[in-house]
Amino acid sequence: MRRTPRIATLALATLLAGMLVALGCSSRKQVTTAETTPPPAPPTETETAPPPPSAPPPSETTTEPQASALQDAFFDFDAADLRADAKSALENNGKYLERAGSASVVIEGHCDERGSVEYNLALGERRARAAKDFLVSYGIPATRLTTISYGKERPFDAGHDESAWAKNRRAHFVSK
């Protein structure tokens, strides 16, 4: 009876040793193949790369507006009322959208880090809605404007002072 546990122990040790050898060999093969693969040869002076595709020359008569023309509308602390500078930015955005034909935008409502998540999501929605309502009254079709609130979850400035918070209280415009 003493032989059975010894044989089982010996068999288990042999099995484990075989597994360790197999693992060691497989990792060694990966290293050696990586070492033996020659790096690609650098281009010689006689080889020339194909010329880069040429961009069309800038045209002074380009009528398509650029998305970078969209401006953020900023808000006071704990408010969704449009300030004078926000109205000016929204008028510029309205002019852009008039020229852009059928371009659509997403208006993102953002808040600073103060207040609860739920409160800031609601405040961000009110800010985005105020910007949308202004643009609709300006003459932009509501079907081209979508709103979403990110509350305090996507700050523009990660600072923890009034300067950073003022940058984060905004309606941000993203072209679709």
Side-chain angles (χ1 to χ4, degrees), residues 65 89-100 135 138 140:
L90 291 171
E91 284 178 14
N92 288 333
N93 292 351
K95 291 174 186 174
Y96 163 81
L97 290 169
E98 283 178 337
R99 291 188 313 268
L135 290 172
Y138 189 82
I140 306 302

Side-chain angles (χ1 to χ4, degrees), residues 27-39:
S27 65
R28 182 175 296 243
K29 284 181 184 176
Q30 291 174 354
V31 170
T32 56
T33 54
E35 291 173 358
T36 60
T37 306

Side-chain angles (χ1 to χ4, degrees), residues 13-175:
T14 305
L15 180 64
L16 288 174
M19 289 174 56
L20 288 173
V21 168
L23 286 173
C25 290
S26 67
S27 65
R28 182 175 296 243
K29 284 181 184 176
Q30 291 174 354
V31 170
T32 56
T33 54
E35 291 173 358
T36 60
T37 306
T44 62
E45 289 183 24
T46 58
E47 294 179 22
T48 58
S54 60
S59 170
E60 292 182 20
T61 60
T62 301
T63 58
E64 187 165 328
Q66 297 181 0
S68 62
L70 293 170
Q71 300 174 8
D72 288 350
F74 294 94
F75 295 86
D76 289 327
F77 173 71
D78 196 26
D81 300 327
L82 295 174
R83 305 184 317 200
D85 62 328
K87 288 179 183 178
S88 175
L90 291 171
E91 284 178 14
N92 288 333
N93 292 351
K95 291 174 186 174
Y96 163 81
L97 290 169
E98 283 178 337
R99 291 188 313 268
S102 62
S104 297
V105 295
V106 176
I107 306 170
E108 301 175 348
H110 296 272
C111 301
D112 62 36
E113 66 185 348
R114 298 171 290 179
S116 70
V117 171
E118 296 82 12
Y119 178 80
N120 281 324
L121 283 171
L123 179 57
E125 181 61 34
R126 289 194 309 271
R127 289 174 174 170
R129 175 69 59 184
K132 178 180 179 177
D133 290 346
F134 182 91
L135 290 172
V136 168
S137 70
Y138 189 82
I140 306 302
T143 56
R144 294 174 53 195
L145 307 170
T146 307
T147 61
I148 188 168
S149 175
Y150 289 113
K152 62 182 179 178
E153 301 305 314
R154 293 187 178 183
F156 177 76
D157 188 329
H160 305 288
D161 58 7
E162 183 55 40
S163 172
W165 296 333
K167 295 174 191 168
N168 293 331
R169 297 187 303 258
R170 71 196 190 285
H172 179 71
F173 292 79
V174 180
S175 294

